[in-house]
Amino acid sequence: MFTIKNHLEVRNDHLIIGGVDTTELAKQYGTPLYVTNESRVIENFSAYRKAFPDADIYYAAKANGSFAILRVLAKQGAGADVFSYGELYIALLAGIPREKILFNGNSKTDFELQKAVELGVKVSVDSHDELHTLSKIAENAGKTAQIAFRVNPDVSPKTHPKIATGLSSSKFGIPSGEVVDIYSEASQLPGISPCGIHCHIGSQILDTSPFTEATHKMMDLVEKVVGLGIDLEFVDMGSGLGIPYKKGEKTPTPRDHANAILPLFNERTEALGISPKLILEPGRYIVGDTTILLTRVNTMKKAAKNFVGVDAGFNLLIRPTMYDSYHHAVVANKAASKPEETYTIVGPICETGDIFAKDRELPRIEKGDIIALLDAGAYGFSMSSQYNGRPRCAEVLVKDGDSDVIRSAEDVGDLMGKQKLPARLM
Ligand code: LLP
């Protein structure tokens, strides 16, 4: 037995997750199949909690909004960053307390604001327009909405441009120069209690200096807002800590993230004589490496490349297609075997971009082999679709040698879903 990456082990040439043989999982539940190691979710969450002992950790539900995973995190005391009424609904159902939920989003519907007010969760307000809508909704409901403003601190997170969210050109947040005015406006509005401040600069961040830069800028704003006489109960610094997708890649840890933020945060709040709660919103770090996607080899073809056609497509894991991201591939039933050939692993979708792994050195592959795509826990299933008439696959949770289905596979009936025919087409 040896460890291949983090919690993943190899026994008798087979890949093992959470004490369970992945080839057995493929047999028992079929493929494609998402498999999550519950203990690893808890380990990752605990690492964040240890690094930020006085902060509240609001798990970013968008990374993986599966009910059972939210439940595991709720039991660990996690809060949640939610970005839609759907995420809010499932987070509450999973037992995350409403006091530990922040409703984020740059384009919320009136219905979503209404629900946030009704359910009493904090709202991160993204524009003047939204502030006024929320004020009216809260006033009509006879309630007061606890709010933060999402600030755009204009910091480059040095990551993929599609997931940089705190640049001045991005669609998110209130420009720094308008922040003081909007807080003073908010403090006059009915139904609104400005009590926090929020930013999130991007995702898969591998250099911690942008976190420090964002903390500097946020604490300058905190000082100004406090100067207006506003009592800031929380400062939410978002998240974005990257994880190592490539084997052996060195990436910052939650402790490095803490070192980039905490000394400055503590020094500045102390100097101001305030003690707001620090909130972090990690998603990828908590779930990214906990999960693999198992997929079976349908067919082999030597053409422009040595193609391996598998039964999962980018409808199940879109990250490589969308961000050119790397996911390590392991032949799960030959996990200890020597690499012998160079392969390109592709899905069955009708697009050239449907490639999971390019030019990888792997043991000799044949039809029926099981490939595991690693680190598929964040923005994997949560970004899946039914494109090309492909029902979504099942999800299984493993722990200490046992496995449970946490989401059944869809079938063609689910493709029909809520579709209907107008009477004239009957
Ligand atoms: N807070 C807010 C407001 C966010 O928008 C996000 C992610 C997070 C927290 C969590 O960030 P994390 O710790 O996971 O980096 N689909 C892309 C990533 C999109 C991230 C969107 N926002 C990917 O697959 O790389």
Side-chain angles (χ1 to χ4, degrees):
M1 176 106 100
F2 65 93
T3 302
I4 196 161
K5 198 168 181 262
N6 302 322
H7 57 112
L8 300 172
E9 295 168 326
V10 176
R11 197 195 300 144
N12 303 331
D13 214 11
H14 286 185
L15 181 68
I16 310 292
I17 181 169
V20 187
D21 187 325
T22 54
T23 65
E24 292 301 323
L25 288 170
K27 237 185 255 159
Q28 186 176 351
Y29 301 107
T31 56
L33 184 70
Y34 268 105
V35 186
T36 297
N37 183 354
E38 182 176 337
S39 307
R40 186 65 178 173
V41 176
I42 295 173
E43 264 169 49
N44 291 343
F45 182 77
S46 305
Y48 245 99
R49 211 171 29 193
K50 252 196 212 139
F52 290 92
D54 300 320
D56 272 347
I57 310 297
Y58 284 18
Y59 167 63
K62 66 203 70 146
N64 189 326
S66 296
F67 183 48
I69 289 167
L70 284 166
R71 180 76 187 141
V72 167
L73 288 163
K75 288 182 131 200
Q76 295 299 308
D81 140 39
V82 300
F83 228 77
S84 63
Y85 175 57
E87 286 181 2
L88 172 59
Y89 174 80
I90 298 180
L92 286 170
L93 217 56
I96 295 185
R98 64 174 184 78
E99 308 79 48
K100 283 196 180 175
I101 294 181
L102 182 67
F103 199 132
N104 285 315
N106 65 298
S107 179
K108 306 178 193 82
T109 61
D110 289 9
F111 169 78
E112 286 176 317
L113 293 173
Q114 180 95 44
K115 280 292 177 192
V117 166
E118 210 175 274
L119 295 164
V121 301
K122 301 185 284 281
V123 180
S124 177
V125 174
D126 198 88
S127 67
H128 279 83
D129 204 16
E130 184 182 301
L131 173 64
H132 288 276
T133 308
L134 182 62
S135 167
K136 277 192 207 117
I137 288 174
E139 198 187 8
N140 288 342
K143 300 219 172 179
T144 301
Q146 311 283 305
I147 69 151
F149 285 103
R150 166 90 177 248
V151 171
N152 183 323
D154 192 16
V155 171
S156 167
K158 307 177 191 166
T159 185
H160 192 288
K162 282 188 186 156
I163 52 176
T165 51
L167 291 168
S168 60
S169 56
S170 113
K171 68 172 179 170
F172 299 104
I174 312 285
S176 300
E178 295 174 24
V179 166
V180 173
D181 284 351
I182 204 166
Y183 272 92
S184 61
E185 190 183 346
S187 59
Q188 306 301 319
L189 284 177
I192 296 288
S193 167
C195 58
I197 189 163
H198 173 220
C199 76
H200 172 71
I201 58 172
S203 197
Q204 186 57 10
I205 297 171
L206 297 173
D207 167 355
T208 57
S209 63
F211 293 129
T212 307
E213 189 187 340
T215 311
H216 267 294
K217 292 190 166 176
M218 287 292 280
M219 293 317 293
D220 287 348
L221 292 171
V222 166
E223 185 169 344
K224 290 185 183 157
V225 171
V226 168
L228 296 172
I230 290 174
D231 180 16
L232 284 181
E233 291 167 24
F234 68 94
V235 175
D236 182 338
M237 290 300 299
S239 173
L241 187 66
I243 60 165
Y245 284 97
K246 291 197 169 136
K247 246 178 110 175
E249 194 181 2
K250 281 266 164 285
T251 59
T253 61
R255 201 163 289 278
D256 297 323
H257 191 188
N259 287 339
I261 292 181
L262 282 184
L264 196 55
F265 176 80
N266 291 336
E267 181 195 315
R268 297 286 300 267
T269 49
E270 217 167 282
L272 288 170
I274 57 171
S275 44
K277 180 62 109 181
L278 176 66
I279 296 175
L280 279 310
E281 301 176 337
R284 188 188 311 269
Y285 185 87
I286 307 294
V287 290
D289 75 358
T290 63
T291 302
I292 58 178
L293 174 59
L294 295 179
T295 178
R296 188 179 296 273
V297 175
N298 280 336
T299 180
M300 309 287 301
K301 179 168 71 182
K302 281 203 161 111
K305 300 259 181 200
N306 198 4
F307 289 116
V308 179
V310 295
D311 64 1
F314 78 60
N315 64 309
L316 292 180
L317 177 63
I318 203 169
R319 301 195 67 258
T321 307
M322 193 146 166
Y323 316 107
D324 284 322
S325 59
Y326 179 96
H327 286 264
H328 197 65
V330 175
V331 185
N333 53 317
K334 297 172 181 168
S337 306
K338 294 195 310 299
E340 284 188 52
E341 276 197 56
T342 306
Y343 293 104
T344 290
I345 303 170
V346 298
I349 304 280
C350 61
E351 296 198 27
T352 310
D354 186 26
I355 299 178
F356 286 123
K358 267 184 209 152
D359 298 327
R360 303 284 175 86
E361 299 289 318
L362 291 166
R364 182 146 303 127
I365 296 179
E366 350 166 57
K367 181 177 170 66
D369 282 346
I370 304 293
I371 311 262
L373 297 164
L374 309 193
D375 304 310
Y379 311 105
F381 194 98
S382 65
M383 292 180 79
S384 65
S385 74
Q386 296 175 329
Y387 184 41
N388 263 193
R390 297 195 162 268
R392 292 182 188 82
C393 67
E395 286 182 288
V396 161
L397 191 65
V398 293
K399 188 175 167 63
D400 304 332
D402 288 328
S403 63
D404 293 280
V405 173
I406 57 168
R407 189 193 306 260
S408 304
E410 294 175 348
D411 57 27
V412 286
D414 296 298
L415 298 182
M416 282 304 293
K418 299 206 175 217
Q419 299 191 70
K420 283 183 190 147
L421 284 185
R424 70 190 148 72
L425 294 179
M426 294 286 196

